Amino acid sequence: MKDNVVGVGVIGTGMIGSLHAENLARRTIGARVAAVTDIDRGRAETVADRCGAKAITDAIALIADPAVDAVLIASPDVTHADLTVACIEAGKPVLCEKPLATTVAEAERVLQAELAAGRRLTQVGFMRVYDRTHREVYDLLRAGELGEALSFRGRHFNPFSGLKTIETAIVNSLIHDIHSARWLMAAEIEQVYAQWAPALADQPRSARFASIGLRFASGAIGTLEWSGDSGYGYEVMVEIVGERGTAESISHSSPVLRRGATIAQAVTPNWPERFAQAYVDEAQIWIDSVRAAAPTGPSAWDGYMSLVAADACIRSTETGLPEAAVGMERPDMY
Ligand code: ISE
C-alpha cells in the first residue's frame, strides 16, 4: 500500500462493477482503482480510463499485480468462489459481490481457504447493512426497543430485468433478503418453505413472484416476498414484529404528493438509485477496514450461511415441502 492508499483491483465492469469502480475512484478516501479487468475488454478499457486505472486482460493476473492491494469481485456469480479463493491465497483482502458462490459446496471451499489462511480476508457485498433505513431498524432491535423479535417480513420487488428461473431468483436476488433476515433477527434460518408463481406458463421453473416462509433457530418466523416484475419500480423494505411493537423500514424517501383527488409518491426505478448511498458507505467502510487490517462487515460465514438457506429454498421448490437449512459448525474465527 503506497502512502496508505489502497490500490484496488476491480474484476467485472458491468453495472455493479462500474458503480463500485466509480465509488472507489471518486467517493472513497484512501483508495484508488489500480486495475480493472472484464471479459469485455472494451468495457474494461472505458472504466479504466474513467478511473485512471490500467486495464488487465486476466483476473488472476490482476489479483497478482503488485499495484493491487485489495480486490473487488463483481464478475458473474459463477466466478465468485474461485476468484475469492485466489485472493485469499494471495493474502489480499477481497470484497466479493453477493452471492459468495452459487452452491453451498463452493462457499464452503471459500471458508476452508480462509480457515487455512488463519484470518478473515473476505467481505461479502450484502450492502443493505449500510442502508440507513435498515440500520435504523437494526439499531432499534439491538437497543431492545421491540423486546424479543418474533417475526421478520422482507419485501423485495424488482422491475423486470429479464426472465429469471426460481433458482436464479433465490441465489442472485433473494440472497439479499436471506442475509437481511439473519442479520436483523440475529438468528440462523433453520427451515424454509418456498412457493412461487412462474413468469411463463410453459416454463414452470421461471419466476415472476416468490413467497418464502422462514423459521429461525430462535423460534421466530418470517416471510420473504420477491417479485421479478413489480410493474411499478423497485422496492425493498423490512418489518420486524417484536414483543413490544413493530419496526418497519421506510421504502421510499420521495415526497407524498396530494393533488386532484390523488395521493402519489415516486418510487425508485431500481437498485442503483435505491442503494446509492449504501454502496458509497460500503466502499468507504471496506477501505477503512483494509487500511486498518481489521476486517468488518458481512463475512464469508454470512455468505456461506445465506447460501445454506438458499439451497434449502431450492430444495423446497423441488419437493414442495418445508426443508431444513443445516450448515457446518460455526468456526471460532467468525
Ligand atoms: C441485483 O444483483 C442486486 O444485487 C440488487 O440489489 C437486487 O435487488 C437485484 O434483484 C439483483 O438482481
Side-chain angles (χ1 to χ4, degrees), residues 8-318:
V8 180
V10 177
I11 302 175
T13 55
M15 259 181 95
I16 186 61
S18 53
L19 182 150
H20 279 308
E22 292 278 332
N23 282 344
L24 288 162
R26 303 189 194 296
R27 302 179 186 92
T28 307
I29 296 165
R32 69 183 186 88
V33 179
V36 301
T37 188
D38 192 292
I39 51 171
D40 178 335
R41 294 186 63 175
R43 197 163 67 176
E45 297 281 358
T46 302
V47 173
D49 291 347
R50 276 212 307 263
C51 297
K54 60 183 172 185
I56 294 182
T57 54
D58 170 71
I60 298 302
L62 177 143
I63 293 168
D65 193 297
V68 171
D69 304 307
V71 180
L72 189 140
I73 299 172
S75 45
D77 296 356
V78 290
T79 66
H80 289 185
D82 280 344
L83 292 173
T84 302
V85 168
C87 293
I88 293 167
E89 290 174 349
K92 295 194 177 179
V94 50
L95 173 53
C96 178
E97 260 300 330
K98 39 51 67 182
L100 178 63
T102 51
T103 67
V104 173
E106 285 285 278
E108 188 164 341
R109 195 157 62 80
V110 176
L111 280 184
Q112 295 303 344
E114 271 203 345
L115 292 169
R119 60 185 171 136
R120 263 197 62 183
L121 283 165
T122 306
Q123 181 170 327
V124 181
F126 292 125
M127 83 296 166
R128 293 181 188 177
V129 305
Y130 304 108
D131 172 54
R132 178 182 56 80
T133 68
H134 284 74
R135 286 224 67 91
E136 287 167 344
V137 172
Y138 178 84
D139 292 343
L140 282 170
L141 278 166
R142 296 293 92 79
E145 296 292 330
L146 297 181
E148 186 187 346
L150 305 175
S151 89
F152 173 91
R153 180 166 77 92
R155 169 178 282 240
H156 181 182
F157 277 26
N158 297 273
F160 183 70
S161 62
L163 190 63
K164 282 186 168 63
T165 63
I166 186 59
E167 291 83 359
T168 301
I170 291 167
V171 172
N172 173 270
S173 186
L174 268 157
I175 200 83
H176 274 300
D177 313 279
I178 290 170
H179 177 261
S180 292
R182 297 180 53 252
W183 170 59
L184 288 167
M185 298 296 279
E188 291 304 345
I189 295 167
E190 263 192 351
Q191 188 184 69
V192 300
Y193 177 45
Q195 301 181 88
W196 80 105
L200 298 174
D202 63 346
Q203 294 189 36
R205 300 292 295 180
S206 64
R208 168 73 188 262
F209 180 79
S211 174
I212 294 176
L214 307 174
R215 200 190 69 230
F216 297 87
S218 60
I221 58 174
T223 52
L224 305 180
E225 301 162 347
W226 177 89
S227 171
D229 185 0
S230 68
Y232 64 87
Y234 186 77
E235 181 168 30
V236 168
M237 58 80 69
V238 295
E239 179 186 37
I240 312 286
V241 176
E243 286 173 308
R244 295 204 291 273
T246 70
E248 178 180 340
S249 66
I250 299 166
S251 286
H252 311 293
S253 52
S254 55
V256 177
L257 180 64
R258 288 175 171 77
R259 185 176 52 188
T262 302
I263 295 177
Q265 183 177 26
V267 172
T268 43
N270 213 335
W271 52 268
E273 297 83 6
R274 170 66 179 78
F275 291 112
Q277 188 58 49
Y279 282 116
V280 170
D281 294 346
E282 178 186 51
Q284 187 62 69
I285 291 166
W286 178 56
I287 290 298
D288 292 348
S289 76
V290 170
R291 294 171 81 188
T296 182
S299 67
W301 174 254
D302 294 308
Y304 165 77
M305 283 307 285
S306 298
L307 268 174
V308 166
D311 181 66
C313 291
I314 292 171
R315 277 185 280 114
S316 179
T317 68
E318 291 159 352

